Amino acid sequence: MSDYERYIVDLVVTVLREVAEAPEKEQQPSTAIRLALRVLLPHCPERWPLTQFWDGINGTHEIGRAQTVTASFNGIVHQLHRSGARQVKR
């Protein structure tokens, strides 16, 4: 994986982190989120955290949304570390 690809993956993770940490009432641009998840698709061996993130971000129950988005975001980051698309920051 090139440095440029790693830069893009890190940028996408930053976008998803901001979405995950935003209050539910704050409207999120769904096109940007879909694009971010699509960019990560080749780097995540399992799709469940990507689909779960999408489902969670569109959820209407505030606590359930927060829990789903947080868990799926952590799953995405874990998958990226396992696939080598993202380095573990120490």
Side-chain angles (χ1 to χ4, degrees):
M1 173 176 269
S2 71
D3 288 341
Y4 176 74
E5 289 173 309
R6 280 200 172 86
Y7 172 76
I8 295 298
V9 167
D10 285 343
L11 185 60
V12 168
V13 168
T14 301
V15 168
L16 294 181
R17 180 178 291 117
E18 289 175 3
V19 168
E21 293 173 353
E24 180 189 6
K25 292 176 177 57
E26 204 171 292
Q27 184 66 15
Q28 300 296 331
S30 61
T31 304
I33 297 168
R34 280 198 322 252
L35 177 60
L37 295 172
R38 178 66 182 101
V39 167
L40 295 180
L41 191 58
H43 305 290
C44 289
E46 299 175 34
R47 285 190 171 187
W48 71 264
L50 302 172
T51 56
Q52 186 174 317
F53 190 93
W54 178 253
D55 292 343
I57 208 70
N58 291 306
T60 56
H61 187 267
E62 187 174 344
I63 294 172
R65 174 197 176 277
Q67 290 174 339
T68 301
V69 169
T70 299
S72 57
F73 176 78
N74 291 336
I76 290 168
V77 171
H78 179 71
Q79 295 251 336
L80 293 173
H81 289 302
R82 281 185 42 210
S83 71
R86 195 152 194 264
Q87 301 292 323
V88 178
K89 307 233 180 185
R90 297 187 195 258

